[in-house]
């Protein structure tokens, strides 16, 4: 639009210039008669200025158009001056020459700025060490491909044990290795021996990426990736040393395996990590959704380890009451603090902690910290309430578990009679003998035993006979259903009756509603734990609850 406006201005002013230069009329300016012809030069100047503006704002095209016009204008003016003796054209000729020089200067200045900008852009998208495109170039290309809605794959290539090369041979050799990898990959992409089209990039460190396009079917991706692996794993001679390197490669395809750039890159990376772990030695993996699960677990494991090393496990205390709302104790529940201080609930980390063997340490931290706090609390308030701690099945089965409990009791000086250990039902089913031995030892120390989440396991009542527990904890799922059907209510009632027959106290977990409370009272339940009377609390708030209860 602006381009056209400038051209129109030029044409209109040029017509005026011609008209005025031929005019014999006189204008009166401040009482003095002036020939209209003398204004021609000024109009011509402004017309030429619009051509200079074309060059300034419209780069090459503006320059071409302006130069064409000025090149026609110049001889025309010369002819007028020298052949036709039209001397009024002389100012126009000057402004024409000035316009030509100015246009050339602006154009060449612009070109050098453009070249500089181009250089900066190339530098920004080029990896300085290897000279191949870097991750900025990669995300630009992947973005563009996604906009085109085509199919393509991203393969992440990682050099195994690069750290060792750097450590043993030095960073200079490490850099040489990276340059050689880049050069082999670049060559492979240019030679076109594969049935696909590839674009290679160095992501960071020892991580490279190939974007694979134009393939007839997905098998071709694997073939291309395998080709690159073969090329890269050929003997490499660096500084006179023969190196035989290996690479892990993971790839993901768009749109089958991901729907955005970030997802695609992350999935290719997950596949690469899986390839690195793979035991079959091929070290090439395509992304599968299960890998995301594996990654989630690994991330959680890292978080747990970090939290253990940095003392980020805390305990919350949930009050337990008898049915008349008298406080009888607290259950200590683990919470993990993440990097930004928010608390992660145990449902998110206990299963991973159990699988990775870290649960023992969590149990111990929670037990130790809550016991120290609890000792101080009962000393101050002189109450005989109980502290219940959860112990994982796997932890209980460890040989040193009993020593650990003794050590915590010694250190905290909590009377064992005020400690209860909650064990889930499955412990007894899985290994009755071992569990019984351990539980008998705990009982000898004076510790009480609760069977947690009762009813959710195999629900075999027969072993309860031989089991020296003190408390049966009915799981929340039964309490939830209790008032919706008569049979559920009867089921809970019968658990309570059997518990009583066996001399257990029965506590109902997850009580939230008043009518649940009423029913539980009516069928003889002993204790209540649930949001209705108390959520898990931080130590400070738990202390307030005790102080209120004793006052
Ligand atoms: P649990 O031992 O059965 O603990 C009771 C869980 O039910 C707690 O969840 C508690 O907050 C929740 N709860 C209690 N009353 C209500 C209620 O009225 N409504 C609802 N919706 N929930 C209620 P939390 O703290 O998330 O703990 C979950 C599980 O994690 C525990 O179940 C226990 O199995 C495990 N856990 C917690 N801390 C530890 C620990 O230190 N060691 C081990 N091994 N496991 C732990
Ligand atoms: Mg429990
Ligand atoms: Mg429970």
């Amino acid at each position: 639009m602006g381009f056209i406006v400038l051209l129109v201005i030029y044409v209109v002013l040029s017509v005026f210039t011609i008209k005025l230069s031929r005019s014999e009329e006189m204008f009166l300016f401040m009482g003095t008669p002036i020939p209209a012809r003398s204004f021609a030069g000024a109009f011509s100047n402004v017309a030429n200025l619009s051509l200079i503006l074309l060059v300034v704002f419209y780069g090459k095209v503006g320059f071409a158009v302006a130069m064409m016009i000025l090149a026609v204008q110049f001889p025309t003016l010369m002819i007028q001056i020298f052949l036709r003796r039209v001397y009024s054209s002389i100012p126009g000729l000057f402004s024409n020459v000035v316009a030509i020089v100015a246009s050339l200067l602006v154009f060449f200045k612009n070109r050098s700025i453009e070249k500089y900008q181009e250089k900066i852009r190339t530098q920004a998208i080029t990896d300085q060490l290897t000279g191949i495109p870097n991750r900025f170039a990669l995300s630009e290309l992947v973005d563009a491909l996604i906009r085109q809605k085509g199919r393509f794959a991203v393969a992440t290539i990682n050099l195994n044990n690069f750290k060792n090369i750097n450590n043993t041979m030095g960073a200079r050799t490490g850099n040489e290795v990276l340059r050689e990898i880049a050069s082999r990959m670049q060559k492979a992409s240019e030679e076109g021996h594969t049935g696909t089209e590839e674009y290679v990039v160095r992501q960071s460190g020892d991580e490279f990426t190939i974007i694979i396009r134009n393939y007839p079917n997905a098998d071709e991706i694997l073939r291309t990736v395998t080709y690159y692996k073969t090329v890269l794993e050929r003997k490499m001679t660096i500084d006179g040393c023969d190196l035989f390197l290996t690479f892990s490669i993971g790839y993901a395809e768009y749109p089958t395996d991901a729907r955005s750039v970030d997802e695609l890159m992350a999935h290719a990376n997950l596949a690469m990590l899986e390839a690195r772990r793979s035991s079959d030695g091929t070290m090439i993996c395509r992304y599968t959704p299960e890998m995301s699960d594996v990654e989630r677990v690994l991330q959680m494991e890292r978080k747990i380890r970090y939290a253990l090393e940095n003392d980020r496990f805390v305990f919350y205390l949930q009050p337990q009451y008898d049915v008349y709302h008298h406080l009888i104790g607290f259950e200590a529940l683990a919470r993990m603090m993440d990097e930004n201080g928010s608390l992660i609930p145990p449902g998110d980390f206990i299963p991973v902690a159990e699988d990775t063997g870290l649960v023992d340490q969590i149990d111990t931290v929670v037990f130790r910290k809550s016991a120290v706090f609890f000792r101080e609390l009962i000393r101050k308030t002189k109450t005989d309430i109980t502290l219940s701690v959860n112990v994982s099945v796997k932890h209980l089965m460890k040989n040193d578990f009993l020593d650990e409990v003794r050590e915590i009791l010694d250190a905290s000086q909590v009377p064992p009679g005020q400690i209860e250990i909650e064990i889930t039902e499955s412990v007894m089913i899985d290994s009755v003998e071992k569990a019984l031995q351990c539980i008998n030892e705990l009982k000898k120390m004076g510790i009480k035993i609760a069977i947690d989440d009762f009813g959710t396991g195999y629900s075999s009542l027969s072993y309860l006979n031989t089991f020296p527990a003190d408390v049966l904890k009915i799981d929340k799922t039964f309490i939830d259903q209790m008032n919706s059907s008569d049979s559920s209510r009867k089921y809970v009632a019968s658990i309570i009756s059997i518990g009583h027959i066996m001399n257990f106290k029965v506590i109902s977990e997850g009580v939230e509603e008043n009518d649940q409370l009423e029913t539980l009272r009516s069928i003889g339940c002993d204790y209540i734990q649930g949001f209705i009377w108390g959520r898990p609390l931080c130590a400070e708030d738990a202390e307030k609850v005790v102080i209120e209860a004793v006052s």
Side-chain angles (χ1 to χ4, degrees):
M1 186 62 190
F3 191 88
I4 306 283
V5 171
L6 285 172
L7 270 184
V8 170
I9 291 173
Y10 171 78
V11 172
V12 172
L13 292 177
S14 298
V15 171
F16 268 110
T17 308
I18 293 166
K19 271 196 162 179
L20 287 173
S21 66
R22 289 180 187 160
S23 169
E24 294 302 327
E25 279 179 50
M26 301 291 275
F27 282 107
L28 266 185
F29 184 69
M30 296 173 95
T32 315
I34 298 173
R37 215 181 303 132
S38 54
F39 288 100
F43 274 85
S44 152
N45 281 346
V46 181
N48 284 337
L49 181 66
S50 62
L51 291 184
I52 298 172
L53 292 178
L54 271 186
V55 185
V56 172
F57 293 118
Y58 297 97
K60 277 185 201 156
V61 181
F63 179 72
V65 172
M67 288 313 275
M68 249 162 41
I69 295 171
L70 289 168
V72 173
Q73 219 183 61
F74 186 75
T76 314
L77 289 168
M78 292 288 276
I79 289 166
Q80 280 186 352
I81 293 163
F82 293 109
L83 298 181
R84 299 202 191 136
R85 309 272 166 211
V86 181
Y87 295 114
S88 60
S89 299
I90 290 175
L93 182 71
F94 273 121
S95 98
N96 182 272
V97 172
V98 169
I100 292 175
V101 173
S103 299
L104 284 169
L105 285 177
V106 170
F107 178 72
F108 285 112
K109 183 75 192 160
N110 277 353
R111 285 287 298 157
S112 70
I113 291 174
E114 274 169 23
K115 274 194 186 151
Y116 182 68
Q117 284 172 338
E118 185 58 34
K119 197 173 145 199
I120 300 258
R121 210 192 99 74
T122 314
Q123 272 177 1
I125 59 167
T126 305
D127 176 56
Q128 296 307 304
L129 179 72
T130 61
I132 66 171
N134 65 13
R135 64 200 163 90
F136 298 114
L138 175 76
S139 50
E140 268 184 22
L141 180 64
V142 174
D143 261 337
L145 290 175
I146 287 185
R147 275 198 301 277
Q148 288 165 19
K149 298 197 179 346
R151 274 179 76 192
F152 65 98
V154 167
T156 299
I157 301 189
N158 192 280
L159 168 57
N160 299 330
N161 302 320
F162 180 55
K163 227 190 245 163
N164 289 353
I165 297 174
N166 265 339
N167 290 346
T168 54
M169 300 174 78
R172 208 181 61 81
T173 309
N175 286 347
E176 278 308 309
V177 169
L178 295 175
R179 275 194 210 104
E180 178 64 20
I181 293 170
S183 127
R184 287 188 186 190
M185 287 179 67
Q186 186 76 15
K187 209 162 147 223
S189 79
E190 285 164 5
E191 279 172 354
H193 290 320
T194 56
T196 61
E197 199 180 299
E198 306 97 50
Y199 180 81
V200 300
V201 163
R202 179 177 172 225
Q203 277 261 40
S204 61
D206 57 345
E207 201 156 292
F208 292 79
T209 300
I210 323 173
I211 296 180
I212 304 164
R213 291 188 287 170
N214 290 337
Y215 44 86
N217 55 57
D219 294 345
E220 216 54 50
I221 308 172
L222 179 60
R223 222 163 282 150
T224 295
V225 165
T226 312
Y227 174 73
Y228 272 77
K229 193 168 188 292
T230 315
V231 166
L232 289 172
E233 289 184 351
R234 278 183 201 140
K235 184 177 83 179
M236 207 178 267
T237 308
I238 307 278
D239 289 343
C241 285
D242 288 344
L243 301 174
F244 294 90
L245 305 175
T246 58
F247 294 80
S248 306
I249 307 184
Y251 63 95
E253 196 196 11
Y254 180 85
T256 334
D257 299 328
R259 264 179 252 117
S260 68
V261 183
D262 290 345
E263 207 175 56
L264 186 64
M265 306 306 293
H267 287 177
N269 206 46
L270 281 183
M272 184 277 289
L273 293 173
E274 183 63 31
R276 196 191 276 168
R277 283 192 292 267
S278 72
S279 47
D280 64 358
T282 54
M283 292 186 205
I284 296 179
C285 273
R286 181 181 176 153
Y287 168 78
T288 60
E290 292 77 52
M291 289 175 190
S292 293
D293 297 339
V294 171
E295 183 54 21
R296 261 194 292 279
V297 169
L298 285 173
Q299 258 178 20
M300 185 50 79
E301 185 184 338
R302 277 195 288 273
K303 279 188 187 170
I304 298 172
R305 286 188 193 280
Y306 178 85
L308 283 167
E309 281 159 19
N310 295 281
D311 192 23
R312 286 178 159 263
F313 277 99
V314 293
F315 63 91
Y316 264 44
L317 295 171
Q318 187 175 24
Q320 299 170 327
Y321 297 90
D322 69 13
V323 285
Y324 307 106
H325 206 167
H326 297 133
L327 186 71
I328 56 145
F330 287 98
E331 176 177 5
L333 296 159
R335 299 286 182 268
M336 182 169 78
M337 217 188 296
D338 70 8
E339 291 99 66
N340 31 33
S342 37
L343 293 178
I344 305 173
D348 291 359
F349 60 81
I350 291 285
V352 178
E354 281 185 334
D355 287 348
T356 49
L358 295 168
V359 76
D360 310 10
Q361 294 178 56
I362 300 175
D363 286 349
T364 308
V365 171
V366 173
F367 191 179
R368 194 186 300 279
K369 284 190 175 182
S370 59
V372 170
F373 167 80
F374 188 72
R375 166 73 209 154
E376 193 49 27
L377 182 69
I378 53 176
R379 191 191 59 76
K380 270 202 282 193
T381 55
K382 308 213 173 354
T383 45
D384 59 355
I385 55 174
T386 306
L387 174 72
S388 285
V389 291
N390 293 281
V391 169
S392 140
V393 182
K394 293 198 174 149
H395 191 190
L396 183 92
M397 296 297 173
K398 294 262 171 76
N399 293 332
D400 53 3
F401 174 71
L402 290 168
D403 292 337
E404 234 173 60
V405 174
R406 280 189 199 102
E407 191 262 311
I408 292 173
L409 290 181
D410 277 353
S412 64
Q413 289 295 305
V414 181
Q418 282 178 261
I419 292 287
E420 185 173 273
I421 289 187
E422 296 191 9
I423 303 159
T424 53
E425 197 188 350
S426 56
V427 186
M428 289 73 78
I429 310 290
D430 287 350
S431 182
V432 183
E433 280 308 305
K434 178 111 199 230
L436 268 179
Q437 259 178 29
C438 180
I439 285 161
N440 281 325
E441 284 303 315
L442 291 170
K443 294 277 305 181
K444 275 189 214 157
M445 286 184 223
I447 292 173
K448 287 188 267 183
I449 303 293
I451 303 174
D452 202 355
D453 304 338
F454 186 78
T456 56
Y458 301 94
S459 284
S460 161
L461 291 177
S462 59
Y463 71 85
L464 284 180
N465 242 342
T466 50
F467 203 79
D470 303 272
V471 177
L472 204 63
K473 296 190 81 172
I474 306 179
D475 193 67
K476 180 176 185 299
T477 44
F478 301 104
I479 307 302
D480 288 343
Q481 294 160 13
M482 190 177 57
N483 279 345
S484 58
S485 80
D486 197 41
S487 61
S488 298
R489 198 187 68 84
K490 282 185 181 148
Y491 184 67
V492 175
S494 54
I495 295 178
I496 294 172
S497 306
I498 293 169
H500 286 164
I501 293 169
M502 312 244 175
N503 266 336
F504 301 147
K505 292 286 185 193
V506 180
I507 178 165
S508 294
E509 278 193 285
V511 182
E512 294 179 345
E513 317 277 344
N514 257 321
D515 52 355
Q516 290 172 338
L517 183 66
E518 285 316 313
T519 308
L520 289 168
R521 272 186 183 134
S522 71
I523 55 180
C525 180
D526 304 290
Y527 305 135
I528 301 293
Q529 180 181 346
F531 290 0
I532 187 165
W533 281 340
R535 289 177 177 253
L537 306 165
C538 64
E540 222 173 81
D541 291 343
E543 186 172 330
K544 285 182 198 154
V545 169
V546 182
I547 292 170
E548 206 175 293
V550 295
S551 57

